[in-house]
């Protein structure tokens, strides 16, 4: 933090480690602001403690915060600061009843910030939009559901309806949802994964035969090196910090690639370590911190591979650094990859990555010394034009030394929403495989459509062009999460029908179409009582563990329905001749799980296996060195050149990345602080390198304008923001998501996966007075 910044309101240096007492203070604050304390303690105690030890019955709920797994699901203290925020935000005492809507028109609510909208609390009643009065009015569940069914039936073409899923939905809800949409007749399944880890879902099957991570928590006990690329676990996967803390204390090197210095990756005080807490000490996390340029990871990865090849060439026989036996037995395409990597010049690698050759050689040497390496990665790798290929370069690096199918090694994508992986596993995909479709037909007796449907970008394009007429959202805040609010907001308003199943009010609900409904649902913390008794749902974490989650709190309102019940209700109303006995499934979710098992054999004995504490692991063939690719081998896959994104020729152009603050969950803004980045009480900041500021004659604290510098498209500007000096790679700048989304065109994305390139937007930055 530059001294100059000290005088800027809300910008104060934060010199403490991440975690520690600051995290406990913030947890307490979240609890007291949202809940009354005694109940909060019990609720938090049940977080990620889904099993009672004796009865082996589900006992608590899975944390809705992130998808990082837990060691046993039985220990007593498994929540973290941001998990606590996610839980208390849902279990808040604040309510948004019909009187709230009566008092505020939709036009007025649209002037509120996202923070204010969600901050009002939990939705309590189903609501329908009255266009004449411009307000949402309470509506009977049966009336709402019948009306939605009627409108869906009236549409001529099922492919004009989009079925969006946000990744908090349980396996049971997501499965019923996909069966409903497919019986209705479409494969239009935009989902949050399309903005997130689609590069993983598309890239890894081509490389190693499955689109998921291959490590388990135990592997972190055996690894000898971690390379952490493009993720910020102190904020987004805080329970991972406990794992990294243990690994670092074991003396294992952790090499970080991140343009920003993120405090938790520098040093961390584990709130569960009494000595560190009592002595105000901390543990360094990264052994090496490489501030790669935004969009420079492909170059860095090729640099490491190039150095490895050079080391291998120079090695004496028998002392090679590549695992040639593994490569020969298990892979294809090595020669082509080696030729591609050798062809990249060190000069270009240095220029693109922003890292010196020696630093990359040192990484290669550390990698060559390690017998078991894990590469972890997040949005810093996936949200680029070549995000899919980035992921494949990571797989290449791991394959070179046989780092799959042995203890302590593998690939570890940090997934987003707590059940985004599970939703995909149970069939939320716009490109369904033949196997799944055949089994759906066998199980339910209808013929599901085969034509590929829309992903998130394609869905929003169809909505914006008027081709799609209806949008059902199982959670989320689609219009705000997507790029290009200019286009998305207008598109949403042209819809014939918009249905939002959600817990809290957000901006997407307010972008009303001709008929708009908000249907309030139970959250994961709440009791879900159906005819067959209290119901548990199941979720899959980042490491393919499936386990049960049972809410215990009384529902926020007696009018809430569970997600499966809402979906079944709409399905029954839409499809009067349905082959599916929708309402039967709602009496007892065991029946939904039986149906999931019938469609997906990997879930064999589903209902029995979720009763085992910790749940069960879905098969991960690469952990047994089985490769479900067309060739039956793992594939080395080349990426042409070093550019992850279109190249800007003008040297004054900077590359902007968009990031989450410490006080937000995607579009949900819990508060206005981002304390590890020294920002307090504001979000209108752009993080810049001091030299980039100086070069433009901009002082820290100056108001600036950020302008997208892509081709000839419409002008895109982010104004009313200030520049702050930050420890960030030269040429790279960062601002917050979703504020920065107005700078990203809707079609600026990875062609292979459809993922928007939220992390690499060419921009020009000028002082506001000059702009
Ligand atoms: N508390 C909390 N938890 C969350 C979420 C949340 O919003 N809040 N969101 C959930 C979801 S849906 C997701 S997907 C995950 C997201 O988890 P992350 O992937 O950690 O999310 P981001 O904040 O997008 O940050 C990515 C990191 O990448 C870095 N970065 C940016 N551009 C580049 C680049 O070009 N190269 C490299 N190497 N690094 C780069 C940024 O500096 C930042 O540290 O977290 C999940 N968990
Ligand atoms: N610029 C930029 N844009 C990005 C990203 C980025 O890094 N940069 N990240 C992208 C990523 S990784 C993602 S995953 C998307 C996120 O996109 P989404 O998943 O669509 O967005 P969220 O903000 O997570 O959704 C919040 C809303 O979910 C609803 N909700 C919360 N809990 C529940 C529940 O239990 N059930 C139901 N039905 N509803 C619930 C509430 O109404 C809340 O308002 O954003 C993407 N957008
Ligand atoms: Mo995500």
């Amino acid at each position: 933090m530059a001294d100059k910044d000290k005088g800027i309101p809300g910008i104060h240096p934060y010199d403490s480690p991440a975690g520690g007492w600051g995290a406990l203070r913030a947890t307490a604050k979240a609890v007291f602001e949202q809940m009354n304390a005694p109940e909060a303690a019990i609720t938090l105690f049940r977080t990620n403690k889904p099993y009672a030890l004796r009865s082996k019955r589900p006992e608590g709920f899975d944390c809705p915060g992130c998808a990082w797994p837990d060691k046993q699901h039985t220990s007593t203290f498994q929540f973290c600061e941001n998990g606590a925020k996610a839980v208390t935000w849902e279990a808040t005492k604040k309510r948004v009843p019909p009187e709230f809507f009566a008092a505020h028109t939709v036009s007025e609510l649209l002037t509120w910030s996202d923070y204010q909208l969600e901050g009002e609390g939990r939705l309590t009643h189903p609501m329908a939009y009255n266009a004449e009065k411009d307000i949402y009015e309470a509506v009977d569940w049966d009336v709402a559901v019948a009306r939605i069914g009627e409108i869906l039936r009236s549409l001529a073409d099922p492919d004009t309806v989009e079925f969006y899923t946000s990744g908090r939905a349980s396996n049971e809800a997501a499965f019923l949802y996909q069966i409903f949409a497919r019986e209705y007749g479409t494969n239009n399944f935009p989902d949050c994964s399309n903005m997130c880890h689609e590069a993983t879902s598309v890239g890894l099957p081509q490389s190693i035969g499955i689109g998921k991570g291959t490590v388990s928590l135990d592997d972190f006990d055996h690894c000898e090196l971690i390379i952490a690329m493009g993720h910020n676990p102190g904020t987004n996967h805080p329970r991972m910090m406990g794992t990294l803390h243990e690994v670092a204390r074991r003396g294992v090197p952790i090499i970080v690639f991140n343009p920003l210095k993120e405090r938790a990756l520098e040093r961390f005080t584990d709130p569960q370590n009494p000595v560190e807490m009592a002595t105000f000490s901390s543990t360094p996390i990264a052994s090496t911190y490489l501030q790669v340029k935004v969009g420079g990871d492909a170059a860095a990865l090729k640099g490491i591979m190039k150095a490895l090849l050079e080391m291998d060439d120079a090695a004496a026989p028998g002392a090679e650094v590549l695992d040639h036996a593994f490569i020969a037995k298990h892979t294809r395409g090595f020669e082509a990859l080696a030729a591609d990597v050798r062809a990249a010049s060190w000069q270009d690698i240095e220029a693109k990555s922003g890292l010196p050759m020696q630093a990359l050689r040192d990484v290669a040497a550390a990698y060559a010394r390690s017998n078991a390496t894990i590469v972890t990665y997040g949005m810093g790798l996936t949200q680029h034009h070549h995000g899919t290929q980035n992921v494949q370069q990571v797989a290449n690096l791991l394959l070179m030394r046989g780092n799959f199918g042995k203890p302590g090694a593998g690939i570890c994508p940090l997934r987003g929403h707590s059940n985004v992986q599970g939703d995909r596993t149970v069939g939320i995909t716009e490109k369904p495989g033949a196997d799944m479709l055949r089994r759906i037909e066998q199980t339910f007796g209808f013929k599901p459509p085969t034509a590929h449907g829309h992903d998130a970008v394609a869905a929003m394009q169809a909505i914006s062009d008027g081709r799609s007429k209806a949008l059902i959202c199982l959670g989320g805040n689609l219009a705000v999460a997507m790029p290009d609010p200019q286009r998305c907001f207008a598109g949403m308003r042209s819809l014939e029908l918009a249905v939002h199943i959600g817990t809290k009010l957000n901006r997407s609900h307010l972008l009303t179409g001709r008929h708009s409904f908000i249907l309030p649902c139970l959250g994961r913390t709440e009791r879900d009582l159906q005819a067959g008794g209290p119901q548990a749902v199941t979720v899959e974490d980042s490491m393919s563990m499936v386990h049960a989650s049972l809410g215990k709190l009384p529902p926020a309102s007696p009018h809430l329905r569970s997600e499966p019940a809402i979906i079944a209700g709409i399905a029954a109303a839409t499809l009067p001749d349905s082959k599916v006995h929708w309402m039967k499934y709602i009496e007892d979710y065991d029946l939904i799980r039986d149906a999931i098992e019938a469609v997906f054999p990997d879930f064999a004995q589903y209902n029995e296996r979720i009763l085992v504490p910790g749940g069960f692991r879905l098969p991960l063939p690469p952990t047994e060195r089985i490769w479900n690719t067309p060739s039956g081998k793992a594939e080395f896959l080349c990426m042409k050149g070093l550019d992850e994104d279109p190249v800007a020729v003008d040297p004054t152009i900077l590359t902007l990345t968009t990031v989450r603050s410490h006080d937000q969950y995607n579009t949900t803004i819990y508060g206005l602080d981002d304390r590890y980045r020294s920002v307090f009480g504001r979000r209108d900041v752009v993080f810049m390198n001091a030299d980039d500021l100086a070069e433009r004659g901009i002082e820290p604290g100056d108001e600036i304008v950020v302008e997208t510098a892509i081709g000839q498209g419409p002008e895109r500007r982010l104004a009313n923001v200030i520049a702050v000096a930050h420890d960030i790679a030269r040429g790279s700048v960062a601002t917050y998501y979703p504020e920065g989304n107005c700078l990203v065109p809707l079609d600026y994305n990875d062609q292979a996966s459809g993922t928007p390139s939220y992390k690499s937007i060419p921009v020009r930055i000028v002082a506001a007075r000059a702009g």
Side-chain angles (χ1 to χ4, degrees), residues 557-629:
S557 138
H559 306 286
L560 302 187
R561 287 193 177 171
S562 76
E563 290 175 340
I566 297 172
I567 294 158
I570 299 177
T574 310
L575 307 167
D577 303 322
S578 177
K579 305 263 187 203
V580 184
H581 300 295
W582 291 103
M583 300 326 281
K584 186 99 198 107
Y585 285 106
I586 302 314
E587 291 171 11
D588 180 355
Y589 297 175
D590 277 3
L591 300 175
I592 310 180
R593 287 183 284 270
D594 286 341
I596 294 178
E597 183 177 331
V599 175
F600 301 100
D602 283 353
F603 285 89
Q605 297 173 307
Y606 198 171
N607 281 309
E608 290 90 89
R609 285 197 291 167
I610 54 167
L611 294 180
V612 178
F616 63 93
R617 195 166 200 214
L618 289 168
L620 283 170
T623 61
E624 296 159 58
R625 299 196 165 176
I626 296 168
W627 319 98
N628 286 337
T629 56

Side-chain angles (χ1 to χ4, degrees), residues 118 164 166 417 477 481 504 506 563 658 667 737 741 759:
E118 275 214 31
Y164 176 66
S166 170
H417 270 293
N477 186 2
K504 294 231 178 158
N506 66 45
E563 290 175 340
T658 54
T667 68
Y737 142 54
N741 292 30
K759 296 269 188 288

Side-chain angles (χ1 to χ4, degrees), residues 148-447:
I148 293 166
E150 205 180 302
I151 300 168
L152 285 175
R153 274 202 310 279
S154 75
L155 295 172
D157 177 1
D159 285 330
T160 60
V161 183
E162 307 289 347
F163 290 84
Y164 176 66
T165 315
S166 170
R168 211 176 263 194
S170 62
N171 282 356
E172 290 73 8
F175 180 75
L176 286 189
Y177 193 57
Q178 68 108 335
I179 296 300
F180 164 42
R182 292 199 160 102
E183 192 178 18
Y184 178 69
T186 185
N187 283 315
N188 283 345
F189 287 107
D191 88 295
C192 72
S193 181
N194 303 145
M195 299 176 252
C196 183
H197 264 293
E198 194 65 28
T200 301
S201 305
V202 171
L204 284 188
Q206 296 169 10
S207 293
I208 59 168
I210 191 165
K212 299 180 178 188
T214 65
V215 297
S216 67
L217 267 188
D218 288 344
D219 287 316
F220 286 84
D221 295 337
H222 300 108
C223 66
E224 296 180 19
L225 170 70
I226 293 178
I227 302 180
M229 308 188 80
H231 68 102
N232 183 22
T235 289
N236 297 317
H237 302 89
R239 281 177 296 117
M240 184 193 195
M241 289 312 302
T243 307
L244 291 178
H245 185 262
E246 264 174 49
V247 171
R249 289 174 83 88
R250 203 155 56 75
V252 170
I254 299 176
I255 302 176
V256 169
F257 285 84
N258 197 312
L260 276 81
K261 275 276 172 71
E262 302 285 25
R263 180 56 46 85
L265 291 169
E266 294 180 283
R267 51 198 156 90
F268 180 71
T269 301
D270 190 346
Q272 319 213 14
N273 179 317
V275 177
E276 278 188 358
M277 291 298 276
T279 58
F280 294 93
S281 59
S282 62
T283 299
I285 299 297
S287 51
T288 307
Y289 205 119
L290 297 172
Q291 286 183 273
V292 64
K293 275 187 181 175
V294 164
D297 299 271
L301 284 161
K302 283 202 183 181
I304 304 168
M305 290 193 274
K306 185 178 171 76
L308 268 183
L309 287 171
E310 289 171 2
M311 286 167 73
D312 196 63
D313 292 343
E320 289 89 354
V321 301
L322 301 186
D323 188 341
H324 290 285
F326 174 88
I327 293 172
K329 182 160 181 219
H330 289 287
T331 71
R332 277 194 352 161
F334 175 70
E335 288 310 325
L337 190 264
D340 175 70
V341 166
R342 284 182 210 278
S345 77
W346 276 114
Q347 201 184 358
D348 289 347
I349 289 170
E350 286 190 325
K352 292 287 173 197
S353 67
L355 299 170
M357 175 177 72
Q358 193 52 48
L360 296 171
R361 284 194 192 282
D362 291 346
V363 178
Y367 180 55
R369 277 193 300 276
S370 158
N371 294 306
T373 299
I374 295 175
V375 181
T376 60
Y377 67 92
M379 298 298 99
L381 250 59
T382 60
Q383 293 174 335
H384 291 279
H385 264 68
H386 291 301
T388 300
Q389 285 164 313
N390 270 350
V391 172
Q392 293 174 339
Q393 299 316 300
V394 172
N396 289 342
L397 178 65
L398 288 166
L399 286 170
M400 283 173 117
R401 281 183 47 77
N403 276 307
F404 287 102
K406 66 181 179 188
I411 193 159
C412 179
L414 275 305
R415 301 297 295 220
H417 270 293
S418 51
N419 196 39
V420 59
Q421 186 160 317
D423 292 346
R424 297 303 294 259
T425 305
V426 300
I428 299 295
T429 170
E430 76 284 0
K431 297 189 190 83
D435 241 23
M436 176 178 79
L437 295 179
R438 190 172 40 79
R439 285 173 179 277
I440 290 177
E441 188 173 350
Q442 278 167 3
T443 307
F444 294 102
F446 68 86
K447 210 169 178 46

